[in-house]
Each structure stands twice: as structure tokens, then as C-alpha cells.
């Protein structure tokens, strides 16, 4: 009973927050609602007994990805109302395509036979963090290593596309020079005739 | 899964390990030595490294099928042959673009490093025995190429190309992943051999399995730029630095076809009647787009993009035939295609100078000033159009033969018709070179490397056109793992 109530609470919050992500006018609010959605979903994962996924969702998606989004939204000067104006023109087409895909997927889902079998691996009383760790470093060691190379490429790519060599005229902060500044270098005394200082 | 029964045989992974070590070592080298001499060193080492690894890989051609990591990784004749094609289609674009990179101020060591990582991704795809490895290989390759496409970051077109490729490529990856989850949901495994066993057992198959297969096919159609998933290709070809376009025209297509063979012939072959139909449609549309859209192009890179869509269409006819001859024909076609592609792009890179850009009209009157260059370029154009006795003709011949054997006479007839249409725009370049005059001077010096690349590729196009026996034999050995 308590479990069901908790589920409905988390599910309700997740759905409402997800809707607010796309309806909120302020993009910063959207990102914050996204964080709320992630948090509610991680609660549902805990109820399902998938504590690893719950922890990952909080640490990676809330802790890193959502905060990164927040930074991007706050730092990039994007006029979202301008973006939305154009989107209205494409709305009918977008809705039409969406409905077609929805109907197709619904037709497939109608024919879906969900069997009642439970995967024995899930029933085993091994904490799933340990189970995932075991299989990740044995059978799936190879994909795990490739994933690390994919991350390396992402890192190299980001640096290649953004890092620029110092251009002439670029002002850089040189701390030793700042500290070595004396009063004579930085302060200039001026005599201002009374009544003329503006 | 206990540690005792763990199946790890790293000796099968030697080429992959060497390429990744090479890429990482060069990454460090280029960070330490960012001067011109250091960049030259990076270029030399990357080229020599690829050759060494290619020779090591060649050593295991034709040996037994071996798997490791519980079938996640497969080493067989097919993977070795495809890896050799990948090495060729990475090495040649790399070495022939040295001058171009220096001239355009993008001779940074990361260019070589990212090319090597893309190659690594392609190699993993060719050896994958599971959706996990296949998908990660595909992402590794795509991610590297997205960055390469945007490598000229001060150029708006290059940025546009990188972004467009990234967004549409991500969409394709999304389709692919969704398809994989539907297949996994129906079958309960991501392993190709287990999926094959499940499908062949005649168990009840849900409707969503077909949707999954179609989505996977759509994802790959994006990657090989088959119509109607080709929209990104002309813009990306045109916008990306020409050296990257040369790379992109060959390497990812080989890798994606290797992935298609792994998925569709290892796993989904029992359902051929379902996805074969889709392949026919893709082939037909690609042929039409490749033939008609290329006619109106004035930029040679855009024209070559449409031409490659057409070439993919021919290759898909062979796959749609669904017989042994068809499977061999596709690989034969691709083997020949990469040499023609590399050769033509070598010309585009070489002729690029002040006043002579990427417009087709810029090649007017080439024959009167540089008769040898014009002759060899004409050779490639005739080969692309499929005129005997050049290799391009052999490629089309084996494809149409396989289609006729599989009773796809209609598709073969349409293919021949479109190849006649396609001949128009290839021969138009020949007409410009030989029958038109121009004011511009073709005074460019041809570097020894460009000469060597052109000599090798044109020799392949001529030799395999006249004596295709050896090529057909290698291809037959490479496709054998799928036939049994």
C-alpha cells in the first residue's frame, strides 16, 4: 500500500514535471523541471529494486548533465521566443508526422504479447550494482573499453573545435604583473577645476 | 557468468589494440610537438602505422572463424577483408591530403588522430558479433567524423557540415538504437548468433520485431546515404574540407556495409523476405536520386555526393538479390568503388588552387595544358560510368548478374537504365576537359605522393577491369563465413 502510494506520487511528479519541461516559458525553469523529472524517475527505479540505475540517474543526469544544460542555457544568449516563432509554422507538419508515428507504434503495441516469465537473473538476491559490475568487467569488458575510447574522442573533438591559439590583441590575465603594479603606475592625479567636473 | 568460463583471447584484437595505441601515442606527440616538424612526424607515423597494422592483419586472411568475449568479437575472413578495405580507404585520403591540410592551415595532429579513431570504429564494426560492439564501433566512427567535418572551424560551410552531419547522424543513431531495443525485447538477446537461432527456430515473432528491423535498416541507410535518407550527404560533402570528404566518401560506407552484413546476414537472414523488400525500395530510390539529381550539380563535390548515392544504390541491388552471387557482388562493387572514389578525390584535392576551385566548369580545357592528368581523370570518369574494360564495369556487371540470377530482372533493367543516365554527368566532365577552352592556367605542381596515389588507384581500376579474377576470388573467400 505504502509502496503503491509512493509510486503514484513519484509517477505523478515525473509526468507533471516532464510536461512542464516543454511548456515552461523560461528555459532555466525547463532545466530545473528536467532535474525534478530525473529525481522522480530515480525514485521509481529504487521502488523497482534497481538501485544502481537510481544512483546513476542522480549522479550523472542530475549532477552532471542537467547542470551542464543549465550552464549552457544561462550562458548562451539565445532568444527562445525568436526560436519559437519559426516553430509555429512547422507545427502542423510536425503534429501530422507525430500522429502517423504514434498510430504505427500503437498498431505494433496492440500485437505485443508480454509473457509473464521473469528473468531468473533478476530474482537472484545479488545486489544489482554488484551484478552489473561483474558482467561489465568480464563479458562486456570489450564494449566497456570502446566506450572509454568514445569518451576520449568526444574530449579530443571538443578541444579541437573550441581551443584557439592566442591571437594577437588578446588580453590575458598575468597575475605576476598584476601583483607587481605600483601605485604610480595605476593612479593618476588630476586637478579638476571646481564646477567643471562632470 | 563466472570468471572461470571467461573467454578472452586478446590475440584476435591485435590490429584494434595497435591502432588505438597508435592513435593515443600520436595524440600525446602532437600535444608536445605542435610545430611544423612535429606535425610532419605525426603524419609520417600515422601512415606507416596503418601500413604496418594492415600487413599484420593481412597475415590472418582466409583463416578460421574465431570469436572472443563470448562472441562479442568475431575474427574471420570477412572481417579481415573489410578491415583491409578500411585501411586502404583511410591511408590514401590521409597521405594525399598532406599538402591540402598545410595549405588550408588545418595541419593539426588531431586530424590524424581522429582519422585513426574513426578507422578503429570501422574495424570494430566489421568484427562485431553483437549489437553492443556494433553500436559502439559505429558511434566511435561517427563521432570522429563529425569532428573532422567541422575541422575547418573558421569556415562557415565546414561548421555547417559538421553540425548537420552530427544532428542527422544522431537521429540515425536514435533510430538504430530504438530498432535494437525492439529486437532485444522480442528475442531477449543482442548477440547476432543467438538472434539467428531464435529466428530460425520458428518461434512466435511479434510485429514489433519487424519494426525493429526496419528501424535498424533506416539507421544504416542514413550512414551509407541511401535515398530517401540521403539529404545530409550533398551539403556535408560540399562543406567539409575536401580531404575529409575524400575520407568520408569511402571509409564510413565500407564500415556501414560491413555492419549491415554482420547484422542482416548473421542475425536476420531468416527474415529475408521482410527486409529484402525494403532494400529493393532503397536501391531503386538511391539509383533515381543518384542519376537525376547529379545532373543539375555545378560543384564537383556535390556531384560526387550524388554519384556516391547512386553507387550505394547499385550495391544495394546486390544485397536485395539475397543470393551468394549478390553478397559477393556487393563486396566486389565496394572494393572497386573505393579506389575510384579515392582517385577522383585525389584530383579534386590536387587541382585545388587559386582560381580553380570545386566548380565542374573549372576543369575546362585541362587536357590542352595537362594532357596526362586529364587522361587519367577521364579514365576514372569512364570507370565510374561503368564503361568496359575498366573496373567500374566489372562492379556493375557482377551486381546485375546476381540480380538476374535472383529473378530481379526489373530491378536490373532499371539499374542499367539509370547507369546510362548517370553516364551523362560523368562524361560531361570529360567533355569539359577535352572540348572546352579556358583562360585559367593549370600550373600546379603535383607532389610525389599524389602521383603515387593516382598511379596506384588508376592501375587498380585498369588491372581489375581487365583481369578481375583475383579480386573475385578474394571476395569469394571473404564472404564464405556467411554462406555456410
Amino acid at each position: 500500500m505504502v509502496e503503491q502510494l509512493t509510486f503514484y506520487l513519484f509517477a505523478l511528479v515525473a509526468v507533471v514535471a516532464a510536461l512542464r519541461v516543454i511548456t515552461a516559458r523560461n528555459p532555466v525553469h525547463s532545466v530545473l523541471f528536467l532535474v525534478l523529472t530525473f529525481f522522480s524517475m530515480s525514485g521509481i527505479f529504487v521502488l523497482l529494486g534497481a538501485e544502481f540505475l537510481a544512483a546513476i540517474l542522480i549522479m550523472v543526469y542530475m549532477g552532471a548533465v542537467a547542470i551542464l544544460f543549465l550552464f549552457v542555457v544561462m550562458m548562451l544568449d539565445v532568444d527562445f521566443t525568436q526560436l519559437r516563432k519559426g516553430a509555429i509554422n512547422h507545427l502542423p507538419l510536425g503534429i501530422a508526422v507525430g500522429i502517423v508515428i504514434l498510430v504505427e507504434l500503437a498498431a505494433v503495441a496492440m500485437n505485443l504479447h508480454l509473457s509473464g516469465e521473469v528473468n531468473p537473473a533478476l530474482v537472484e538476491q545479488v545486489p544489482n550494482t554488484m551484478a552489473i559490475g561483474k558482467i561489465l568487467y568480464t563479458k562486456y569488458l570489450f564494449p566497456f573499453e570502446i566506450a572509454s575510447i568514445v569518451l576520449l574522442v568526444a574530449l579530443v573533438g571538443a578541444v579541437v573545435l573550441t581551443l584557439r591559439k592566442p591571437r594577437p590583441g588578446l588580453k590575458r590575465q598575468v597575475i605576476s604583473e598584476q601583483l607587481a603594479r605600483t601605485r604610480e603606475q595605476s593612479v593618476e592625479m588630476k586637478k579638476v577645476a571646481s564646477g567643471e567636473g562632470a | 557468468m563466472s570468471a572461470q568460463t571467461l573467454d578472452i583471447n586478446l590475440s584476435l584484437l591485435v590490429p584494434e589494440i595497435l591502432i588505438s595505441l597508435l592513435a593515443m601515442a600520436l595524440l600525446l606527440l602532437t600535444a608536445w610537438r605542435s610545430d611544423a616538424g612535429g606535425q610532419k612526424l605525426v603524419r609520417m607515423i600515422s601512415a606507416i602505422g596503418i601500413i604496418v597494422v594492415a600487413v599484420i592483419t593481412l597475415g590472418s586472411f582466409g583463416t578460421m572463424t574465431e570469436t572472443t568475449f563470448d562472441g562479442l568479437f568475431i575474427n574471420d575472413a570477412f572481417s579481415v577483408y573489410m578491415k583491409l578495405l578500411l585501411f586502404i580507404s583511410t591511408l590514401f585520403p590521409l597521405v594525399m591530403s598532406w599538402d591540402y591540410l598545410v595549405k588550408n592551415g588545418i595541419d593539426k595532429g588531431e586530424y590524424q588522430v581522429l582519422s585513426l579513431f574513426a578507422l578503429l570504429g570501422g574495424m570494430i564494426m566489421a568484427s562485431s558479433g553483437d549489437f553492443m560492439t556494433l553500436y559502439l564501433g559505429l558511434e566511435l566512427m561517427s563521432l570522429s567524423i563529425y569532428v573532422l567535418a567541422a575541422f575547418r572551424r573558421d569556415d562557415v560551410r565546414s561548421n555547417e557540415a559538421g553540425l548537420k552531419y552530427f544532428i542527422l547522424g544522431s537521429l540515425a543513431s536514435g533510430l538504430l538504437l530504438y530498432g535494437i531495443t525492439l529486437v532485444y525485447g522480442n528475442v531477449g538477446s543482442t548477440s547476432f548468433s543467438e538472434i539467428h537461432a531464435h529466428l530460425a527456430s520458428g518461434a512466435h515473432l511479434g510485429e514489433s520485431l519487424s519494426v525493429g528491423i526496419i528501424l535498424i535498416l533506416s539507421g544504416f541507410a542514413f550512414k551509407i546515404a541511401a535515398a530517401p535518407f540521403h539529404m545530409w550527404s550533398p551539403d556535408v560533402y560540399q562543406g567539409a574540407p575536401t580531404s575529409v570528404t575524400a575520407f568520408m566518401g569511402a571509409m564510413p560506407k565500407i564500415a556501414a556495409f560491413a555492419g549491415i552484413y554482420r547484422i542482416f546476414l548473421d542475425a536476420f537472414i531468416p527474415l529475408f523476405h521482410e527486409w529484402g523488400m525494403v532494400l529493393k525500395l532503397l536501391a531503386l530510390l538511391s539509383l533515381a536520386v543518384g542519376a537525376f539529381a547529379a545532373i543539375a550539380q555545378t560543384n564537383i563535390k556535390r556531384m560526387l555526393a550524388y554519384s556516391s548515392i547512386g553507387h550505394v544504390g547499385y550495391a544495394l541491388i546486390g544485397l536485395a538479390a539475397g543470393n551468394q552471387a549478390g553478397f559477393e557482388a556487393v563486396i566486389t562493387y565496394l572494393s572497386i568503388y573505393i579506389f575510384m572514389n579515392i582517385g577522383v578525390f585525389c584530383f579534386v584535392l590536387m587541382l585545388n588552387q587559386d582560381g580553380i576551385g570545386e566548380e565542374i566548369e573549372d576543369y575546362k580545357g585541362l587536357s590542352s595544358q595537362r594532357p596526362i592528368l586529364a587522361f587519367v581523370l577521364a579514365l576514372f570518369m569512364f570507370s565510374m560510368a561503368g564503361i568496359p574494360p575498366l573496373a567500374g564495369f566489372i562492379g556493375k556487371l557482377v551486381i546485375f548478374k546476381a540480380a538476374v540470377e535472383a529473378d530481379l530482372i526489373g530491378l536490373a533493367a532499371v539499374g542499367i537504365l539509370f547507369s546510362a543516365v548517370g553516364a551523362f554527368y560523368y562524361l560531361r566532365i570529360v567533355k569539359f576537359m577535352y572540348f572546352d577552352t579556358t583562360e585559367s592556367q593549370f600550373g600546379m605542381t603535383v607532389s610525389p605522393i599524389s602521383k603515387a596515389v593516382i598511379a596506384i588507384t588508376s592501375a587498380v581500376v585498369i588491372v581489375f577491369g581487365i583481369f578481375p579474377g583475383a579480386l573475385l576470388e578474394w571476395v569469394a573467400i571473404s564472404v564464405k563465413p556467411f554462406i555456410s
Side-chain angles (χ1 to χ4, degrees), chain A residues 70-85:
Chain A
L70 206 56
F71 267 113
V72 171
V73 167
M74 287 165 79
M75 290 176 73
L76 286 185
D77 186 25
V78 180
D79 188 354
F80 284 89
T81 50
Q82 201 67 36
L83 279 180
R84 287 210 185 88
K85 268 181 201 155

Side-chain angles (χ1 to χ4, degrees), chain A residues 3-189:
Chain A
E3 203 173 310
Q4 278 190 341
L5 277 179
T6 332
F7 169 78
Y8 281 117
L9 178 69
F10 278 128
L12 189 70
V13 173
V15 171
V16 172
L19 280 175
R20 290 295 288 142
V21 172
I22 52 171
T23 53
R25 289 223 163 264
N26 187 333
V28 177
H29 293 174
S30 286
V31 178
L32 291 175
F33 277 115
L34 192 65
V35 171
L36 185 58
T37 315
F38 284 149
F39 182 75
S40 318
M41 286 315 294
S42 75
I44 290 175
F45 276 129
V46 171
L47 287 179
L48 285 170
E51 81 280 351
F52 182 73
L53 280 179
I56 284 289
L57 205 60
I58 290 190
M59 285 196 292
V60 176
Y61 281 88
M62 280 174 65
V65 176
I67 301 306
L68 188 73
F69 282 0
L70 206 56
F71 267 113
V72 171
V73 167
M74 287 165 79
M75 290 176 73
L76 286 185
D77 186 25
V78 180
D79 188 354
F80 284 89
T81 50
Q82 201 67 36
L83 279 180
R84 287 210 185 88
K85 268 181 201 155
I88 296 291
N89 300 333
H90 302 293
L91 201 62
L93 186 66
I95 290 178
V97 171
I99 287 174
V100 168
I101 294 176
L102 190 70
V103 168
E104 284 174 348
L105 288 179
V108 170
M110 295 288 193
N111 293 316
L112 203 60
H113 300 278
L114 290 175
S115 62
E117 291 169 37
V118 177
N119 192 335
L122 292 178
V123 187
E124 262 178 44
Q125 289 308 307
V126 181
N128 58 52
T129 312
M130 188 190 269
I132 289 172
K134 266 188 176 163
I135 202 162
L136 204 56
Y137 287 101
T138 53
K139 186 184 172 187
Y140 290 105
L141 181 66
F142 181 57
F144 186 71
E145 291 292 333
I146 309 168
S148 70
I149 297 183
V150 172
L151 289 177
L152 176 69
V153 168
L155 200 72
V156 173
V159 173
V160 164
L161 292 183
T162 52
L163 182 73
R164 288 173 181 278
K165 289 218 174 87
R167 283 161 294 178
L170 194 73
K171 288 185 175 162
R172 280 183 180 266
Q173 186 179 24
V174 184
I175 294 170
S176 58
E177 278 180 22
Q178 284 180 328
L179 293 176
R181 253 150 71 106
T182 57
R183 186 170 188 276
E184 288 70 36
Q185 280 176 311
S186 355
V187 182
E188 204 177 334
M189 301 300 278

Side-chain angles (χ1 to χ4, degrees), chain B residues 323-346:
Chain B
N323 50 13
Q324 185 184 345
F327 299 149
E328 287 176 9
V330 177
I331 304 299
T332 313
Y333 196 89
L334 290 174
S335 311
I336 294 167
Y337 164 74
I338 59 167
F339 283 101
M340 299 191 297
N341 193 65
I342 291 168
V344 172
F345 271 105
C346 191

Side-chain angles (χ1 to χ4, degrees), chain B residues 283-397:
Chain B
L284 205 60
L285 287 173
S286 305
L287 287 173
V289 168
F292 290 114
I295 292 174
Q297 302 306 320
T298 55
N299 179 296
I300 188 143
K301 279 158 83 182
R302 281 186 89 82
M303 192 213 91
L304 287 170
Y306 282 109
S307 133
S308 85
I309 295 168
H311 285 300
V312 164
Y314 292 111
L316 288 176
I317 294 181
L319 210 52
N323 50 13
Q324 185 184 345
F327 299 149
E328 287 176 9
V330 177
I331 304 299
T332 313
Y333 196 89
L334 290 174
S335 311
I336 294 167
Y337 164 74
I338 59 167
F339 283 101
M340 299 191 297
N341 193 65
I342 291 168
V344 172
F345 271 105
C346 191
F347 272 97
V348 179
L349 279 169
M350 200 172 64
L351 296 178
N352 186 301
Q353 63 162 39
D354 293 336
I356 296 164
E358 288 150 3
E359 297 301 309
I360 296 173
E361 303 217 340
D362 290 345
Y363 293 173
K364 274 182 180 172
L366 183 67
S367 73
S368 58
Q369 292 174 40
R370 305 296 287 259
I372 299 172
L373 289 186
F375 176 74
V376 181
L377 184 53
L379 197 77
F380 282 118
M381 287 299 149
F382 281 121
S383 177
M384 284 237 186
I387 289 166
L390 299 164
F393 169 73
I394 301 295
K396 288 199 170 65
L397 181 71

